[in-house]
Amino acid sequence: PGIEILKEYPIDTVESNGRQITLSKRYLLTSFDQGYYTVQYPILYTDKNITDTIFSSSNRLFVNTFEIDTTKQQIYDIKPQQKMSLKFGEFSGYLLITLVAVAILLWLTMRIIRYYRQRGANKITVEKPTEAPEVIAIRALEELQNEKLWQNNRHKLYYTRLTDIIRTYIDQRWDINSMEMTSSETLRAVDKLISKDIKAQLGRILTTADYVKFAKYKPETEDNEMSWNDAYDFVEQTKAIPEQETIINNNENR
Protein backbone atom coordinates (compact mmCIF):
# COMPACT_ATOMS: atom_id res chain seq x y z
CA PRO A 1 0.00 0.00 0.00
CA GLY A 2 1.20 3.51 -0.90
CA ILE A 3 3.44 2.27 -3.73
CA GLU A 4 2.42 1.90 -7.37
CA ILE A 5 4.31 -0.11 -10.00
CA LEU A 6 4.57 1.99 -13.13
CA LYS A 7 6.56 -0.42 -15.28
CA GLU A 8 8.19 -3.85 -15.21
CA TYR A 9 11.39 -4.57 -17.12
CA PRO A 10 12.38 -7.98 -18.53
CA ILE A 11 14.39 -10.41 -16.41
CA ASP A 12 18.14 -10.18 -17.05
CA THR A 13 20.65 -12.95 -16.41
CA VAL A 14 23.41 -11.47 -14.28
CA GLU A 15 25.57 -14.58 -13.71
CA SER A 16 25.46 -18.28 -14.62
CA ASN A 17 27.61 -20.83 -12.73
CA GLY A 18 26.59 -24.38 -13.53
CA ARG A 19 23.09 -24.92 -12.28
CA GLN A 20 23.18 -21.74 -10.27
CA ILE A 21 21.89 -18.70 -12.15
CA THR A 22 21.68 -15.18 -10.80
CA LEU A 23 18.79 -13.21 -12.25
CA SER A 24 17.88 -9.55 -12.05
CA LYS A 25 14.52 -7.82 -12.50
CA ARG A 26 13.84 -4.09 -12.32
CA TYR A 27 10.66 -2.18 -11.52
CA LEU A 28 9.75 1.48 -11.89
CA LEU A 29 7.89 2.59 -8.74
CA THR A 30 6.14 5.74 -7.65
CA SER A 31 4.78 6.97 -4.35
CA PHE A 32 3.26 10.29 -3.33
CA ASP A 33 2.90 9.83 0.43
CA GLN A 34 5.91 10.68 2.59
CA GLY A 35 7.18 7.90 4.90
CA TYR A 36 8.91 4.49 5.14
CA TYR A 37 7.64 1.48 3.17
CA THR A 38 8.71 -2.14 3.39
CA VAL A 39 9.08 -3.73 -0.04
CA GLN A 40 9.16 -7.52 -0.45
CA TYR A 41 8.55 -9.58 -3.60
CA PRO A 42 7.13 -13.10 -3.83
CA ILE A 43 9.17 -15.38 -6.09
CA LEU A 44 7.93 -18.65 -7.60
CA TYR A 45 10.65 -21.30 -7.23
CA THR A 46 10.55 -24.52 -9.27
CA ASP A 47 13.04 -27.44 -9.08
CA LYS A 48 12.08 -30.63 -10.90
CA ASN A 49 8.74 -31.65 -9.37
CA ILE A 50 8.92 -29.16 -6.50
CA THR A 51 7.21 -25.77 -6.78
CA ASP A 52 7.32 -23.31 -3.94
CA THR A 53 6.97 -19.60 -3.25
CA ILE A 54 9.75 -17.76 -1.48
CA PHE A 55 10.01 -14.08 -0.66
CA SER A 56 12.83 -11.73 -1.31
CA SER A 57 14.60 -9.95 1.46
CA SER A 58 12.80 -6.94 2.83
CA ASN A 59 13.84 -3.59 1.52
CA ARG A 60 12.87 -0.31 3.07
CA LEU A 61 11.84 2.54 0.84
CA PHE A 62 11.88 6.06 2.18
CA VAL A 63 9.69 8.64 0.43
CA ASN A 64 10.55 12.24 1.16
CA THR A 65 9.27 15.53 -0.22
CA PHE A 66 11.53 18.16 -1.64
CA GLU A 67 11.19 21.74 -2.60
CA ILE A 68 11.11 22.55 -6.30
CA ASP A 69 11.96 25.95 -7.66
CA THR A 70 9.63 26.22 -10.62
CA THR A 71 11.55 29.21 -11.91
CA LYS A 72 14.59 27.01 -12.53
CA GLN A 73 13.07 23.59 -13.15
CA GLN A 74 9.90 22.65 -15.01
CA ILE A 75 7.73 19.84 -13.71
CA TYR A 76 6.70 17.08 -16.11
CA ASP A 77 4.18 14.31 -15.73
CA ILE A 78 5.54 10.87 -15.05
CA LYS A 79 3.26 9.54 -17.75
CA PRO A 80 1.87 11.43 -20.72
CA GLN A 81 -1.86 11.84 -21.13
CA GLN A 82 -3.39 8.71 -22.57
CA LYS A 83 -5.34 9.15 -25.81
CA MET A 84 -8.52 7.11 -25.82
CA SER A 85 -10.22 6.09 -29.05
CA LEU A 86 -13.73 7.47 -29.58
CA LYS A 87 -16.41 4.82 -29.09
CA PHE A 88 -19.85 4.80 -30.68
CA GLY A 89 -21.58 4.50 -27.30
CA GLU A 90 -20.13 7.84 -26.21
CA PHE A 91 -22.08 9.83 -28.81
CA SER A 92 -24.88 7.44 -29.83
CA GLY A 93 -27.29 9.07 -27.34
CA TYR A 94 -26.60 12.56 -28.70
CA LEU A 95 -26.95 11.24 -32.25
CA LEU A 96 -30.36 9.72 -31.48
CA ILE A 97 -31.59 12.96 -29.86
CA THR A 98 -30.37 14.95 -32.87
CA LEU A 99 -32.14 12.65 -35.34
CA VAL A 100 -35.40 12.85 -33.37
CA ALA A 101 -35.13 16.65 -33.19
CA VAL A 102 -34.49 16.89 -36.95
CA ALA A 103 -37.47 14.61 -37.66
CA ILE A 104 -39.73 16.77 -35.47
CA LEU A 105 -38.51 19.96 -37.18
CA LEU A 106 -39.14 18.45 -40.61
CA TRP A 107 -42.64 17.37 -39.57
CA LEU A 108 -43.46 20.83 -38.20
CA THR A 109 -42.06 22.47 -41.34
CA MET A 110 -44.23 20.27 -43.57
CA ARG A 111 -47.30 21.04 -41.45
CA ILE A 112 -46.66 24.79 -41.64
CA ILE A 113 -46.10 24.66 -45.40
CA ARG A 114 -49.28 22.60 -45.90
CA TYR A 115 -51.25 25.00 -43.67
CA TYR A 116 -50.22 28.07 -45.64
CA ARG A 117 -50.80 26.30 -48.95
CA GLN A 118 -54.32 25.37 -47.90
CA ARG A 119 -54.86 28.85 -46.55
CA GLY A 120 -53.74 30.33 -49.86
CA ALA A 121 -55.94 27.88 -51.77
CA ASN A 122 -58.95 28.88 -49.69
CA LYS A 123 -58.33 32.52 -50.53
CA ILE A 124 -58.74 31.81 -54.22
CA THR A 125 -62.01 33.40 -55.24
CA VAL A 126 -64.26 31.23 -57.33
CA GLU A 127 -65.76 33.16 -60.18
CA LYS A 128 -69.50 33.00 -60.19
CA PRO A 129 -71.14 31.93 -63.44
CA THR A 130 -72.15 34.74 -65.76
CA GLU A 131 -75.56 33.16 -66.30
CA ALA A 132 -78.33 33.61 -63.79
CA PRO A 133 -78.81 30.73 -61.33
CA GLU A 134 -82.33 30.03 -62.56
CA VAL A 135 -81.11 29.70 -66.16
CA ILE A 136 -78.50 27.14 -65.15
CA ALA A 137 -80.99 25.23 -63.00
CA ILE A 138 -83.76 25.12 -65.64
CA ARG A 139 -81.32 23.91 -68.28
CA ALA A 140 -80.02 21.20 -65.95
CA LEU A 141 -83.59 20.10 -65.13
CA GLU A 142 -84.45 19.82 -68.81
CA GLU A 143 -81.32 17.77 -69.47
CA LEU A 144 -82.22 15.51 -66.54
CA GLN A 145 -85.71 14.98 -67.92
CA ASN A 146 -84.33 14.06 -71.34
CA GLU A 147 -82.02 11.41 -69.84
CA LYS A 148 -85.07 9.38 -68.68
CA LEU A 149 -83.29 7.91 -65.67
CA TRP A 150 -86.29 6.89 -63.57
CA GLN A 151 -87.97 5.41 -66.64
CA ASN A 152 -85.02 2.97 -66.74
CA ASN A 153 -85.28 2.13 -63.02
CA ARG A 154 -82.35 4.35 -62.08
CA HIS A 155 -84.27 6.11 -59.35
CA LYS A 156 -81.36 6.74 -56.99
CA LEU A 157 -79.28 8.46 -59.66
CA TYR A 158 -82.30 10.45 -60.78
CA TYR A 159 -83.03 11.89 -57.32
CA THR A 160 -79.33 12.46 -56.62
CA ARG A 161 -79.05 14.56 -59.77
CA LEU A 162 -82.35 16.32 -59.04
CA THR A 163 -81.39 17.36 -55.50
CA ASP A 164 -77.90 18.40 -56.65
CA ILE A 165 -79.50 20.79 -59.13
CA ILE A 166 -81.76 22.30 -56.46
CA ARG A 167 -78.96 22.57 -53.87
CA THR A 168 -76.63 24.21 -56.40
CA TYR A 169 -79.38 26.68 -57.30
CA ILE A 170 -79.91 27.54 -53.59
CA ASP A 171 -76.18 28.12 -53.19
CA GLN A 172 -75.99 30.44 -56.20
CA ARG A 173 -79.28 32.19 -55.45
CA TRP A 174 -78.85 32.93 -51.71
CA ASP A 175 -75.20 31.98 -51.05
CA ILE A 176 -76.27 29.06 -48.83
CA ASN A 177 -73.97 26.02 -48.95
CA SER A 178 -76.81 23.53 -49.23
CA MET A 179 -74.53 20.83 -50.66
CA GLU A 180 -72.94 20.46 -47.20
CA MET A 181 -76.27 20.48 -45.34
CA THR A 182 -78.89 17.88 -44.55
CA SER A 183 -82.42 18.27 -45.83
CA SER A 184 -83.69 19.69 -42.53
CA GLU A 185 -80.78 22.14 -42.32
CA THR A 186 -81.50 23.36 -45.83
CA LEU A 187 -85.17 23.93 -45.04
CA ARG A 188 -84.24 25.91 -41.93
CA ALA A 189 -81.74 28.00 -43.89
CA VAL A 190 -84.36 29.14 -46.48
CA ASP A 191 -87.23 29.40 -43.99
CA LYS A 192 -87.36 33.22 -44.00
CA LEU A 193 -86.51 33.58 -47.69
CA ILE A 194 -89.47 31.77 -49.27
CA SER A 195 -93.16 31.33 -48.61
CA LYS A 196 -94.69 28.33 -46.82
CA ASP A 197 -96.09 26.85 -50.05
CA ILE A 198 -92.72 27.01 -51.81
CA LYS A 199 -91.04 25.59 -48.72
CA ALA A 200 -93.52 22.71 -48.79
CA GLN A 201 -92.58 21.98 -52.41
CA LEU A 202 -88.89 21.94 -51.50
CA GLY A 203 -89.60 19.71 -48.52
CA ARG A 204 -91.42 17.14 -50.72
CA ILE A 205 -88.46 17.01 -53.13
CA LEU A 206 -85.84 16.53 -50.41
CA THR A 207 -87.89 14.06 -48.37
CA THR A 208 -88.68 11.83 -51.37
CA ALA A 209 -85.03 11.94 -52.43
CA ASP A 210 -83.89 10.90 -48.93
CA TYR A 211 -86.29 7.94 -48.96
CA VAL A 212 -85.00 6.82 -52.34
CA LYS A 213 -81.28 7.28 -51.56
CA PHE A 214 -81.19 6.00 -48.00
CA ALA A 215 -84.30 3.83 -47.47
CA LYS A 216 -84.33 2.11 -50.89
CA TYR A 217 -87.80 3.51 -51.53
CA LYS A 218 -89.09 2.95 -55.07
CA PRO A 219 -91.42 5.84 -55.95
CA GLU A 220 -94.34 5.64 -58.32
CA THR A 221 -94.45 7.38 -61.69
CA GLU A 222 -96.58 10.17 -60.27
CA ASP A 223 -94.04 10.79 -57.51
CA ASN A 224 -91.19 11.08 -60.02
CA GLU A 225 -93.08 13.50 -62.21
CA MET A 226 -94.28 15.54 -59.20
CA SER A 227 -90.72 15.86 -57.86
CA TRP A 228 -89.50 17.21 -61.20
CA ASN A 229 -92.44 19.62 -61.47
CA ASP A 230 -91.92 20.81 -57.88
CA ALA A 231 -88.25 21.44 -58.63
CA TYR A 232 -89.10 23.41 -61.78
CA ASP A 233 -91.76 25.47 -59.96
CA PHE A 234 -89.38 26.09 -57.05
CA VAL A 235 -86.81 27.63 -59.38
CA GLU A 236 -89.39 29.68 -61.32
CA GLN A 237 -91.08 31.05 -58.19
CA THR A 238 -87.86 31.97 -56.36
CA LYS A 239 -85.73 33.38 -59.16
CA ALA A 240 -84.45 36.91 -58.75
CA ILE A 241 -86.44 39.71 -60.41
CA PRO A 242 -84.24 42.08 -62.43
CA GLU A 243 -84.19 45.65 -61.09
CA GLN A 244 -85.17 47.16 -64.44
CA GLU A 245 -88.26 44.96 -64.64
CA THR A 246 -89.21 45.93 -61.07
CA ILE A 247 -88.97 49.65 -61.90
CA ILE A 248 -91.19 49.23 -65.02
CA ASN A 249 -93.82 47.33 -63.02
CA ASN A 250 -93.84 50.01 -60.33
CA ASN A 251 -94.29 52.75 -62.95
CA GLU A 252 -97.18 50.88 -64.55
CA ASN A 253 -98.88 50.50 -61.17
CA ARG A 254 -98.62 54.24 -60.63
Side-chain angles (χ1 to χ4, degrees):
I3 299 176
E4 180 182 354
I5 299 176
L6 299 179
K7 185 177 181 180
E8 293 186 39
Y9 294 92
I11 298 176
D12 293 334
T13 302
V14 178
E15 183 181 357
S16 179
N17 185 9
R19 294 184 59 189
Q20 185 176 358
I21 302 174
T22 303
L23 304 176
S24 173
K25 183 174 178 62
R26 294 187 300 142
Y27 297 89
L28 180 62
L29 308 179
T30 184
S31 179
F32 296 95
D33 295 331
Q34 183 180 5
Y36 287 94
Y37 297 94
T38 300
V39 181
Q40 190 177 30
Y41 299 100
I43 301 172
L44 185 66
Y45 172 76
T46 303
D47 185 8
K48 295 183 180 180
N49 296 327
I50 300 174
T51 300
D52 195 4
T53 301
I54 60 176
F55 291 88
S56 67
S57 58
S58 298
N59 297 308
R60 298 188 69 188
L61 175 66
F62 175 66
V63 179
N64 191 15
T65 59
F66 56 92
E67 298 293 334
I68 298 177
D69 188 358
T70 57
T71 61
K72 297 180 180 179
Q73 184 177 1
Q74 187 175 0
I75 299 177
Y76 296 94
D77 291 331
I78 297 178
K79 285 186 175 183
Q81 293 183 352
Q82 188 174 3
K83 295 182 179 179
M84 303 295 293
S85 59
L86 184 63
K87 297 182 179 180
F88 178 76
E90 297 180 17
F91 63 89
S92 59
Y94 299 102
L95 179 61
L96 179 61
I97 294 174
T98 303
L99 292 176
V100 172
V102 170
I104 293 175
L105 287 176
L106 289 175
W107 180 79
L108 289 175
T109 303
M110 294 299 296
R111 293 282 297 180
I112 293 172
I113 293 174
R114 184 179 301 176
Y115 169 76
Y116 281 103
R117 282 181 179 177
Q118 292 178 351
R119 186 177 179 183
N122 293 335
K123 288 184 178 180
I124 298 175
T125 55
V126 179
E127 295 184 359
K128 293 185 177 181
T130 55
E131 294 182 308
E134 62 271 12
V135 175
I136 299 174
I138 294 299
R139 182 169 61 245
L141 287 173
E142 292 176 350
E143 292 176 355
L144 177 62
Q145 188 179 36
N146 293 332
E147 290 181 13
K148 299 184 181 301
L149 294 177
W150 65 265
Q151 290 89 338
N152 294 312
N153 291 324
R154 303 177 69 183
H155 295 88
K156 184 175 181 179
L157 179 59
Y158 171 74
Y159 279 94
T160 300
R161 293 276 302 279
L162 183 64
T163 53
D164 286 348
I165 294 171
I166 296 301
R167 291 178 183 274
T168 302
Y169 168 75
I170 293 174
D171 187 4
Q172 296 175 355
R173 175 66 175 86
W174 293 291
D175 197 18
I176 297 173
N177 191 9
S178 178
M179 295 294 290
E180 301 297 331
M181 297 180 180
T182 61
S183 298
S184 57
E185 289 174 344
T186 300
L187 292 173
R188 285 196 300 269
V190 300
D191 184 37
K192 297 181 180 181
L193 301 175
I194 57 179
S195 65
K196 293 184 178 180
D197 294 338
I198 299 176
K199 182 181 177 181
Q201 285 183 319
L202 178 60
R204 285 197 299 268
I205 300 171
L206 297 178
T207 301
T208 304
D210 288 342
Y211 286 154
V212 174
K213 290 188 292 184
F214 305 114
K216 296 183 179 181
Y217 171 69
K218 187 174 181 180
E220 300 293 335
T221 300
E222 294 78 7
D223 297 330
N224 298 326
E225 293 177 348
M226 181 180 294
S227 296
W228 189 92
N229 291 330
D230 286 340
Y232 191 93
D233 292 341
F234 175 79
V235 175
E236 283 292 334
Q237 295 180 37
T238 58
K239 64 182 179 181
I241 300 175
E243 294 182 1
Q244 184 177 1
E245 182 179 344
T246 304
I247 295 173
I248 293 173
N249 292 335
N250 291 336
N251 292 334
E252 291 177 355
N253 293 334
R254 290 178 183 176

